[in-house]
Amino acid sequence: MGNCQPTIVPYEDFDVVADIKAIRKACKGLGTDEKAIIEILANRSSAQRQEIKQAYFDKYDDIDCTLKCALLYYLVHERDLEADIEGDTSGDVRNLLTALLQGNRDETWEVDEELAEQDATSLIEAGEEQFGTDESTFNYILAMRNYLQLQATFKAYEQLSGTEILDAIKNETAGTLKKCYKALVRVAKNPQLYFARRLHDAMKGAGTDEDTLIRIIVVRSEFDLETIKEMYLEKYDVSLKDAIKDECSGDFKRLLVAICH
């Protein structure tokens, strides 16, 4: 996990004025030059894209051209996910999901074995050793600890209780909250494999889950999408780019492939 590779890094020769002029030119006239827009936005970091968005609004007071391609819209508009979640969920699920969006997770790769044992004990006491489940303890630990620390905690949990953490979650929780906890545990155990599976599921069968493709590919592009691509190829014997080309079309396909590099 410490050797994660992104597909997008900050563009070294970034010039926001040049970029917004190029985008404006691509938007005006007869038709929209989506390829030119894709070439810019698929090679800029999230921070650079946000700078482009703000500069474009300040100078031109519109961004209609991005509406010609759904993914371009996602790349330059950051929806208030926390507000969406607060409006669409309630109780423990809302508390867990909003905690995940406050940017408080430890992002280091350090592991404290003593803390892992303490957290494992707290999880056992919050679940198996009481009537009902203290979700706040699960929420805090699963949302705040770094992934390697969580792996150590899960190992300690099994050593102390004799129960694998996913089995404990299955026994102690239900409904949407159980799904959230199971997803968090699987991400912590092997995030790149988890996202490779999510991408595959989004494209298998009839229809394509475009929202899932957008979320994973855009968000992970600056962290570990290159590693996810390797995991996808290893698990499914087809490259992620080829899978996207087979399942998607038009500008949506072109931009996803461009982000994958």
Side-chain angles (χ1 to χ4, degrees):
M1 287 175 58
N3 191 33
C4 298
Q5 297 296 320
T7 59
I8 293 180
V9 297
Y11 189 64
E12 290 186 2
D13 298 321
F14 179 56
D15 183 339
V16 67
V17 174
D19 281 351
I20 65 171
K21 287 182 177 179
I23 291 173
R24 184 67 171 184
K25 181 180 179 181
C27 292
K28 296 303 178 182
L30 296 175
T32 300
D33 185 355
E34 285 90 354
K35 290 183 179 180
I37 301 172
I38 288 171
E39 178 63 26
I40 293 171
L41 296 184
N43 289 283
R44 304 296 186 269
S45 68
S46 177
Q48 290 170 338
R49 292 195 300 267
Q50 294 308 308
E51 192 173 339
I52 289 170
K53 179 183 75 171
Q54 188 59 54
Y56 193 101
F57 271 123
D58 291 345
K59 185 171 180 63
Y60 301 116
D61 196 31
D62 74 67
I63 199 161
D64 290 341
C65 64
T66 60
L67 300 180
K68 303 290 181 66
C69 176
L71 188 53
L72 296 180
Y73 181 85
Y74 276 82
L75 282 171
V76 295
H77 288 72
E78 287 189 350
R79 294 184 63 194
D80 188 345
L81 292 180
E82 189 168 341
D84 286 350
I85 285 171
E86 288 181 351
D88 295 337
T89 61
S90 61
D92 296 314
V93 175
R94 178 198 295 178
N95 294 337
L96 172 61
L97 295 179
T98 54
L100 293 174
L101 294 169
Q102 288 161 1
N104 292 323
R105 184 184 294 280
D106 173 14
E107 297 294 342
T108 71
W109 301 107
E110 297 178 1
V111 175
D112 183 331
E113 296 292 347
E114 184 176 347
L115 177 61
E117 187 168 336
Q118 291 173 1
D119 282 350
T121 300
S122 295
L123 290 173
I124 293 169
E125 293 174 350
E128 294 183 54
E129 291 188 354
Q130 71 169 27
F131 180 77
T133 303
D134 177 7
E135 286 87 1
S136 63
T137 298
F138 277 80
N139 291 354
Y140 180 82
I141 292 173
L142 292 178
M144 300 302 170
R145 305 298 188 224
N146 74 59
Y147 291 148
L148 290 182
Q149 182 69 38
L150 284 175
Q151 289 179 19
T153 298
F154 301 154
K155 181 178 180 180
Y157 188 102
E158 185 169 2
Q159 291 174 340
L160 291 171
S161 73
T163 304
E164 208 272 334
I165 186 67
L166 285 172
D167 291 333
I169 289 171
K170 180 180 179 181
N171 295 332
E172 297 296 327
T173 59
T176 303
L177 190 64
K178 177 169 72 173
K179 292 180 181 178
C180 290
Y181 286 160
K182 288 171 66 177
L184 285 171
V185 169
R186 286 170 176 154
V187 171
K189 286 189 170 190
N190 191 330
Q192 289 75 45
L193 177 59
Y194 172 81
F195 288 119
R197 285 174 170 164
R198 290 291 309 280
L199 289 168
H200 181 261
D201 290 344
M203 292 185 284
K204 73 178 182 181
T208 300
D209 183 350
E210 295 180 349
D211 285 344
T212 295
L213 292 182
I214 290 168
R215 282 197 303 271
I216 295 176
I217 290 176
V218 172
V219 172
R220 307 307 295 186
S221 63
E222 294 181 63
F223 181 62
D224 59 357
L225 184 55
E226 188 65 39
T227 310
I228 292 170
K229 285 166 52 183
E230 295 171 1
M231 189 68 68
Y232 193 99
L233 178 61
E234 179 180 331
K235 182 167 182 60
Y236 299 110
D237 199 30
V238 63
S239 73
L240 178 58
K241 288 170 60 172
D242 285 344
I244 291 170
K245 290 175 182 177
D246 288 341
E247 295 296 328
C248 304
S249 61
D251 294 322
F252 182 76
K253 175 179 72 175
R254 281 191 283 272
L255 188 48
L256 286 180
V257 170
I259 294 171
C260 288
H261 285 259

